[in-house]
Amino acid sequence: MNPAEFSKAIADPTRARIALLVTREKELCVCELTCALDEIQPKISRHLALLRESGLLADRRKGQWVYYRLHPELPVWVTKTLKTMLDANQDWLEENHQRLCAMEDRPNRCC
């Protein structure tokens, strides 16, 4: 991944929020992102597909759930950039984080 590809992947506000929420939470499923972002599932799924195709996110399936996390083979500069962006923009994500924390019936992850 080069800087242009990274910038393009997170250029949309929804994709930027998804990337930062996944960075913060380590792993999230579509239903959690739908709740946190207060968006419809097809929109979230479309953005997740773009983030996965760009190489920023990886997914894993467990039963009916598909979980998304940062791709484990991302260059170090990408993960550092995302963490810096997250640290500097907690206020921008606060409403999304509150919705996620208030979500009922969040899926359980194995240890």
Side-chain angles (χ1 to χ4, degrees), residues 1-3 10 32 34 39 49 54 62 76 81 99 107 109-110:
M1 176 171 283
N2 64 48
I10 64 166
E32 290 171 305
T34 300
E39 293 287 354
S54 76
K62 182 179 181 213
V76 173
T81 301
R99 278 196 214 104
R109 290 162 181 79
C110 66

Side-chain angles (χ1 to χ4, degrees), residues 18 21-22 25-37 41 44-45 48 57-62 64-69 100 103-109:
I18 289 171
L21 286 168
V22 169
E25 299 293 324
K26 308 298 185 228
E27 188 175 66
L28 291 169
C29 72
V30 176
C31 65
E32 290 171 305
L33 289 164
T34 300
C35 177
L37 297 169
Q41 182 270 327
I44 297 300
S45 292
L48 285 167
L57 295 183
D59 62 351
R60 73 174 177 94
R61 184 172 296 277
K62 182 179 181 213
Q64 68 182 19
W65 306 108
V66 178
Y67 295 97
Y68 292 86
R69 65 192 184 288
L100 185 59
M103 181 181 176
E104 295 181 18
D105 299 325
R106 282 181 75 178
N108 293 323
R109 290 162 181 79

